[in-house]
Short mmCIF file of all heavy atoms in Angstrom, two decimals:
data_model
loop_
_atom_site.label_atom_id
_atom_site.label_comp_id
_atom_site.label_asym_id
_atom_site.label_seq_id
_atom_site.Cartn_x
_atom_site.Cartn_y
_atom_site.Cartn_z
N PRO A 95 7.98 2.65 1.43
CA PRO A 95 6.83 1.92 0.92
C PRO A 95 6.01 2.82 -0.03
O PRO A 95 6.06 4.04 0.08
CB PRO A 95 6.05 1.58 2.16
CG PRO A 95 6.45 2.60 3.17
CD PRO A 95 7.89 2.90 2.87
N THR A 96 5.28 2.18 -0.92
CA THR A 96 4.35 2.88 -1.82
C THR A 96 2.98 2.24 -1.69
O THR A 96 2.78 1.30 -0.91
CB THR A 96 4.87 2.79 -3.26
OG1 THR A 96 4.79 1.41 -3.71
CG2 THR A 96 6.32 3.25 -3.39
N TYR A 97 2.05 2.69 -2.49
CA TYR A 97 0.72 2.08 -2.53
C TYR A 97 0.76 0.68 -3.09
O TYR A 97 -0.16 -0.13 -2.90
CB TYR A 97 -0.25 2.95 -3.35
CG TYR A 97 -0.65 4.20 -2.68
CD1 TYR A 97 -0.18 5.43 -3.15
CD2 TYR A 97 -1.54 4.21 -1.63
CE1 TYR A 97 -0.58 6.63 -2.52
CE2 TYR A 97 -1.95 5.38 -1.00
CZ TYR A 97 -1.45 6.58 -1.46
OH TYR A 97 -1.86 7.77 -0.88
N PHE A 98 1.87 0.32 -3.85
CA PHE A 98 1.92 -0.93 -4.55
C PHE A 98 2.91 -1.93 -3.92
O PHE A 98 2.86 -3.12 -4.22
CB PHE A 98 2.31 -0.69 -6.02
CG PHE A 98 1.48 0.31 -6.68
CD1 PHE A 98 1.89 1.60 -6.87
CD2 PHE A 98 0.20 -0.03 -7.16
CE1 PHE A 98 1.12 2.57 -7.49
CE2 PHE A 98 -0.60 0.91 -7.78
CZ PHE A 98 -0.16 2.21 -7.95
N ALA A 99 3.82 -1.46 -3.14
CA ALA A 99 4.83 -2.36 -2.55
C ALA A 99 5.27 -1.84 -1.19
O ALA A 99 5.25 -0.64 -0.94
CB ALA A 99 6.03 -2.47 -3.48
N GLY A 100 5.70 -2.79 -0.39
CA GLY A 100 6.21 -2.40 0.92
C GLY A 100 7.61 -1.85 0.88
O GLY A 100 8.30 -1.94 -0.14
N GLY A 101 8.02 -1.28 1.99
CA GLY A 101 9.40 -0.72 2.06
C GLY A 101 10.34 -1.66 2.72
O GLY A 101 9.94 -2.69 3.30
N TYR A 102 11.61 -1.32 2.62
CA TYR A 102 12.68 -2.17 3.24
C TYR A 102 13.97 -1.40 3.24
O TYR A 102 14.10 -0.29 2.65
CB TYR A 102 12.86 -3.48 2.48
CG TYR A 102 13.13 -3.29 1.00
CD1 TYR A 102 14.43 -3.21 0.52
CD2 TYR A 102 12.08 -3.23 0.07
CE1 TYR A 102 14.72 -3.01 -0.83
CE2 TYR A 102 12.32 -3.05 -1.26
CZ TYR A 102 13.61 -2.93 -1.73
OH TYR A 102 13.89 -2.77 -3.06
N THR A 103 15.01 -1.95 3.88
CA THR A 103 16.33 -1.36 3.89
C THR A 103 17.29 -2.30 3.10
O THR A 103 17.32 -3.48 3.42
CB THR A 103 16.85 -1.15 5.30
OG1 THR A 103 15.99 -0.28 6.00
CG2 THR A 103 18.26 -0.53 5.29
N LEU A 104 17.98 -1.72 2.13
CA LEU A 104 18.91 -2.51 1.30
C LEU A 104 20.33 -2.25 1.78
O LEU A 104 20.79 -1.11 1.85
CB LEU A 104 18.78 -2.09 -0.19
CG LEU A 104 19.75 -2.69 -1.16
CD1 LEU A 104 19.55 -4.22 -1.27
CD2 LEU A 104 19.65 -2.03 -2.52
N HIS A 105 21.05 -3.33 2.10
CA HIS A 105 22.43 -3.27 2.52
C HIS A 105 23.30 -3.86 1.40
O HIS A 105 23.10 -5.02 1.02
CB HIS A 105 22.64 -4.04 3.83
CG HIS A 105 21.74 -3.60 4.93
ND1 HIS A 105 21.99 -2.55 5.73
CD2 HIS A 105 20.51 -4.12 5.36
CE1 HIS A 105 21.03 -2.38 6.62
NE2 HIS A 105 20.11 -3.33 6.42
N THR A 106 24.29 -3.08 0.92
CA THR A 106 25.16 -3.50 -0.20
C THR A 106 26.60 -3.38 0.18
O THR A 106 27.04 -2.34 0.72
CB THR A 106 24.90 -2.61 -1.46
OG1 THR A 106 23.50 -2.69 -1.78
CG2 THR A 106 25.71 -3.13 -2.65
N CYS A 107 27.39 -4.40 -0.13
CA CYS A 107 28.82 -4.40 0.13
C CYS A 107 29.47 -3.54 -0.93
O CYS A 107 29.33 -3.74 -2.14
CB CYS A 107 29.39 -5.81 0.11
SG CYS A 107 31.19 -5.85 0.36
N LYS A 108 30.26 -2.54 -0.47
CA LYS A 108 30.95 -1.64 -1.40
C LYS A 108 32.09 -2.36 -2.14
O LYS A 108 32.53 -1.89 -3.19
CB LYS A 108 31.53 -0.49 -0.64
CG LYS A 108 30.49 0.43 0.05
CD LYS A 108 31.17 1.53 0.84
CE LYS A 108 30.16 2.42 1.55
NZ LYS A 108 30.84 3.48 2.32
N VAL A 109 32.57 -3.46 -1.63
CA VAL A 109 33.71 -4.13 -2.20
C VAL A 109 33.28 -5.13 -3.29
O VAL A 109 33.71 -5.07 -4.44
CB VAL A 109 34.52 -4.84 -1.13
CG1 VAL A 109 35.73 -5.57 -1.76
CG2 VAL A 109 34.98 -3.84 -0.09
N CYS A 110 32.41 -6.10 -2.93
CA CYS A 110 32.02 -7.14 -3.87
C CYS A 110 30.66 -7.01 -4.45
O CYS A 110 30.27 -7.75 -5.36
CB CYS A 110 32.17 -8.51 -3.21
SG CYS A 110 30.92 -8.81 -1.91
N GLY A 111 29.82 -6.10 -3.91
CA GLY A 111 28.52 -5.89 -4.43
C GLY A 111 27.45 -6.80 -3.85
O GLY A 111 26.27 -6.70 -4.23
N ALA A 112 27.78 -7.72 -2.97
CA ALA A 112 26.78 -8.58 -2.34
C ALA A 112 25.79 -7.71 -1.54
O ALA A 112 26.16 -6.73 -0.93
CB ALA A 112 27.46 -9.61 -1.46
N SER A 113 24.52 -8.12 -1.51
CA SER A 113 23.51 -7.35 -0.86
C SER A 113 22.46 -8.19 -0.16
O SER A 113 22.29 -9.39 -0.50
CB SER A 113 22.84 -6.40 -1.85
OG SER A 113 22.11 -7.16 -2.84
N TYR A 114 21.74 -7.64 0.82
CA TYR A 114 20.60 -8.25 1.49
C TYR A 114 19.66 -7.18 1.97
O TYR A 114 20.04 -6.00 2.03
CB TYR A 114 21.08 -9.15 2.62
CG TYR A 114 21.65 -8.40 3.81
CD1 TYR A 114 20.89 -8.03 4.92
CD2 TYR A 114 23.00 -8.03 3.79
CE1 TYR A 114 21.44 -7.32 5.99
CE2 TYR A 114 23.54 -7.32 4.87
CZ TYR A 114 22.77 -6.97 5.95
OH TYR A 114 23.30 -6.30 7.00
N THR A 115 18.44 -7.55 2.32
CA THR A 115 17.42 -6.62 2.74
C THR A 115 16.82 -7.02 4.08
O THR A 115 16.82 -8.19 4.48
CB THR A 115 16.27 -6.50 1.73
OG1 THR A 115 15.70 -7.81 1.53
CG2 THR A 115 16.76 -5.97 0.39
N ASP A 116 16.38 -6.00 4.85
CA ASP A 116 15.68 -6.22 6.14
C ASP A 116 14.81 -5.00 6.43
O ASP A 116 14.64 -4.13 5.56
CB ASP A 116 16.67 -6.54 7.24
CG ASP A 116 17.63 -5.39 7.53
OD1 ASP A 116 17.43 -4.30 6.97
OD2 ASP A 116 18.57 -5.58 8.35
N SER A 117 14.29 -4.94 7.67
CA SER A 117 13.45 -3.79 8.11
C SER A 117 12.30 -3.56 7.14
O SER A 117 12.12 -2.44 6.66
CB SER A 117 14.33 -2.55 8.25
OG SER A 117 15.41 -2.74 9.13
N TYR A 118 11.50 -4.62 6.93
CA TYR A 118 10.38 -4.48 5.98
C TYR A 118 9.23 -3.72 6.60
O TYR A 118 8.95 -3.79 7.79
CB TYR A 118 9.91 -5.87 5.59
CG TYR A 118 10.94 -6.68 4.86
CD1 TYR A 118 11.75 -7.63 5.53
CD2 TYR A 118 11.15 -6.50 3.53
CE1 TYR A 118 12.68 -8.35 4.88
CE2 TYR A 118 12.12 -7.24 2.83
CZ TYR A 118 12.88 -8.14 3.51
OH TYR A 118 13.85 -8.86 2.85
N THR A 119 8.57 -2.93 5.76
CA THR A 119 7.36 -2.19 6.16
C THR A 119 6.26 -2.45 5.14
O THR A 119 6.55 -2.76 3.96
CB THR A 119 7.62 -0.70 6.21
OG1 THR A 119 8.14 -0.23 4.99
CG2 THR A 119 8.66 -0.36 7.33
N SER A 120 5.01 -2.38 5.60
CA SER A 120 3.88 -2.67 4.71
C SER A 120 3.69 -1.53 3.71
O SER A 120 4.12 -0.39 3.95
CB SER A 120 2.59 -2.83 5.53
OG SER A 120 2.75 -3.91 6.48
N LYS A 121 3.04 -1.88 2.61
CA LYS A 121 2.73 -0.87 1.62
C LYS A 121 1.69 0.09 2.21
O LYS A 121 0.98 -0.24 3.15
CB LYS A 121 2.24 -1.50 0.30
CG LYS A 121 0.92 -2.21 0.42
CD LYS A 121 0.52 -2.80 -0.92
CE LYS A 121 -0.85 -3.48 -0.85
NZ LYS A 121 -1.23 -4.06 -2.16
N ILE A 122 1.59 1.23 1.60
CA ILE A 122 0.71 2.30 2.09
C ILE A 122 -0.77 1.92 1.73
O ILE A 122 -1.04 1.53 0.60
CB ILE A 122 1.07 3.65 1.46
CG1 ILE A 122 2.47 4.00 1.81
CG2 ILE A 122 0.08 4.75 1.93
CD1 ILE A 122 2.98 5.24 1.12
N SER A 123 -1.64 2.03 2.74
CA SER A 123 -3.04 1.67 2.52
C SER A 123 -3.81 2.90 1.97
O SER A 123 -3.57 4.02 2.41
CB SER A 123 -3.72 1.22 3.82
OG SER A 123 -3.08 0.05 4.29
N VAL A 124 -4.72 2.62 1.04
CA VAL A 124 -5.59 3.68 0.52
C VAL A 124 -6.76 3.82 1.51
O VAL A 124 -7.35 2.83 1.97
CB VAL A 124 -6.13 3.30 -0.89
CG1 VAL A 124 -7.07 4.40 -1.39
CG2 VAL A 124 -4.93 3.10 -1.83
N TYR A 125 -7.07 5.05 1.87
CA TYR A 125 -8.20 5.30 2.82
C TYR A 125 -9.49 4.73 2.23
O TYR A 125 -9.82 4.91 1.07
CB TYR A 125 -8.36 6.78 3.08
CG TYR A 125 -7.25 7.37 3.92
CD1 TYR A 125 -6.40 8.33 3.40
CD2 TYR A 125 -7.10 6.92 5.23
CE1 TYR A 125 -5.39 8.85 4.21
CE2 TYR A 125 -6.09 7.46 6.03
CZ TYR A 125 -5.23 8.42 5.50
OH TYR A 125 -4.22 8.92 6.27
N GLN A 126 -10.23 4.01 3.09
CA GLN A 126 -11.43 3.30 2.65
C GLN A 126 -12.63 4.25 2.59
O GLN A 126 -12.83 5.07 3.47
CB GLN A 126 -11.72 2.14 3.61
CG GLN A 126 -12.82 1.21 3.12
CD GLN A 126 -13.07 0.11 4.12
OE1 GLN A 126 -13.45 0.37 5.27
NE2 GLN A 126 -12.86 -1.10 3.70
N SER A 127 -13.45 4.08 1.58
CA SER A 127 -14.72 4.81 1.45
C SER A 127 -15.83 3.94 2.07
O SER A 127 -15.65 2.70 2.22
CB SER A 127 -15.04 5.08 -0.01
OG SER A 127 -14.12 5.99 -0.55
N SER A 128 -16.94 4.55 2.34
CA SER A 128 -18.09 3.84 2.84
C SER A 128 -19.35 4.47 2.29
O SER A 128 -19.35 5.55 1.75
CB SER A 128 -18.12 3.86 4.39
OG SER A 128 -18.22 5.20 4.80
N ILE A 129 -20.45 3.66 2.38
CA ILE A 129 -21.75 4.14 1.88
C ILE A 129 -22.50 4.80 3.06
O ILE A 129 -22.84 4.14 4.02
CB ILE A 129 -22.56 2.96 1.27
CG1 ILE A 129 -21.78 2.29 0.16
CG2 ILE A 129 -23.92 3.45 0.81
CD1 ILE A 129 -22.43 1.03 -0.34
N TYR A 130 -22.72 6.12 2.95
CA TYR A 130 -23.47 6.82 4.00
C TYR A 130 -24.96 6.46 3.96
O TYR A 130 -25.54 6.10 4.98
CB TYR A 130 -23.36 8.37 3.78
CG TYR A 130 -22.09 8.95 4.35
CD1 TYR A 130 -21.46 10.05 3.70
CD2 TYR A 130 -21.48 8.46 5.47
CE1 TYR A 130 -20.34 10.61 4.20
CE2 TYR A 130 -20.34 9.00 5.97
CZ TYR A 130 -19.75 10.09 5.34
OH TYR A 130 -18.59 10.63 5.82
N SER A 131 -25.47 6.47 2.76
CA SER A 131 -26.89 6.13 2.61
C SER A 131 -27.17 5.52 1.29
O SER A 131 -26.43 5.73 0.33
CB SER A 131 -27.75 7.39 2.81
OG SER A 131 -27.52 8.34 1.73
N ILE A 132 -28.23 4.69 1.23
CA ILE A 132 -28.62 4.06 -0.03
C ILE A 132 -30.14 4.07 -0.08
O ILE A 132 -30.82 3.80 0.92
CB ILE A 132 -28.06 2.61 -0.08
CG1 ILE A 132 -28.46 1.95 -1.41
CG2 ILE A 132 -28.50 1.76 1.07
CD1 ILE A 132 -27.70 0.68 -1.68
N LYS A 133 -30.67 4.42 -1.21
CA LYS A 133 -32.14 4.57 -1.36
C LYS A 133 -32.57 4.02 -2.67
O LYS A 133 -31.97 4.32 -3.73
CB LYS A 133 -32.55 6.03 -1.21
CG LYS A 133 -34.05 6.27 -1.24
CD LYS A 133 -34.36 7.72 -1.02
CE LYS A 133 -35.87 7.97 -1.03
NZ LYS A 133 -36.25 9.39 -0.85
N GLY A 134 -33.59 3.16 -2.65
CA GLY A 134 -34.08 2.60 -3.89
C GLY A 134 -35.16 3.44 -4.51
O GLY A 134 -36.07 3.97 -3.84
N GLY A 135 -35.12 3.59 -5.81
CA GLY A 135 -36.12 4.35 -6.55
C GLY A 135 -36.68 3.47 -7.65
O GLY A 135 -36.48 2.26 -7.70
N LYS A 136 -37.37 4.12 -8.59
CA LYS A 136 -37.98 3.40 -9.72
C LYS A 136 -36.85 2.98 -10.65
O LYS A 136 -36.32 3.81 -11.39
CB LYS A 136 -39.01 4.25 -10.41
CG LYS A 136 -39.82 3.49 -11.50
CD LYS A 136 -40.87 4.40 -12.08
CE LYS A 136 -41.69 3.61 -13.13
NZ LYS A 136 -42.73 4.45 -13.73
N LYS A 137 -36.52 1.70 -10.61
CA LYS A 137 -35.46 1.13 -11.46
C LYS A 137 -34.14 1.84 -11.26
O LYS A 137 -33.33 1.97 -12.19
CB LYS A 137 -35.84 1.13 -12.94
CG LYS A 137 -37.02 0.26 -13.29
CD LYS A 137 -37.23 0.22 -14.81
CE LYS A 137 -38.40 -0.70 -15.18
NZ LYS A 137 -38.63 -0.75 -16.65
N LYS A 138 -33.90 2.34 -10.05
CA LYS A 138 -32.63 3.00 -9.80
C LYS A 138 -32.32 2.97 -8.32
O LYS A 138 -33.15 2.69 -7.47
CB LYS A 138 -32.65 4.43 -10.30
CG LYS A 138 -33.71 5.29 -9.64
CD LYS A 138 -33.75 6.69 -10.27
CE LYS A 138 -34.79 7.57 -9.59
NZ LYS A 138 -34.84 8.93 -10.21
N ILE A 139 -31.02 3.32 -8.05
CA ILE A 139 -30.53 3.35 -6.68
C ILE A 139 -29.78 4.69 -6.52
O ILE A 139 -28.95 5.06 -7.36
CB ILE A 139 -29.60 2.19 -6.36
CG1 ILE A 139 -30.30 0.85 -6.48
CG2 ILE A 139 -28.95 2.36 -4.98
CD1 ILE A 139 -29.36 -0.33 -6.36
#
């Protein structure tokens, strides 16, 4: 898996080339940020 797509296992026939996929995994999540503090000022934050 990557940040943009999930992972999987690709099975391919060596003789005829037919293939299928299984064992799917979710894509990698980006760690979430959060707001520690917020303070209003004169026309600003």
Side-chain angles (χ1 to χ4, degrees):
T96 67
Y97 287 108
F98 307 100
Y102 54 90
T103 300
L104 175 65
H105 305 277
T106 304
C107 178
K108 297 178 182 179
V109 180
C110 68
S113 63
Y114 68 95
T115 57
D116 63 7
S117 303
Y118 296 98
T119 57
S120 301
K121 67 180 181 180
I122 301 173
S123 298
V124 179
Y125 289 116
Q126 189 180 61
S127 295
S128 62
I129 301 172
Y130 278 146
S131 66
I132 183 169
K133 184 178 180 181
K136 187 177 181 179
K137 295 186 179 181
K138 61 183 179 181
I139 298 172

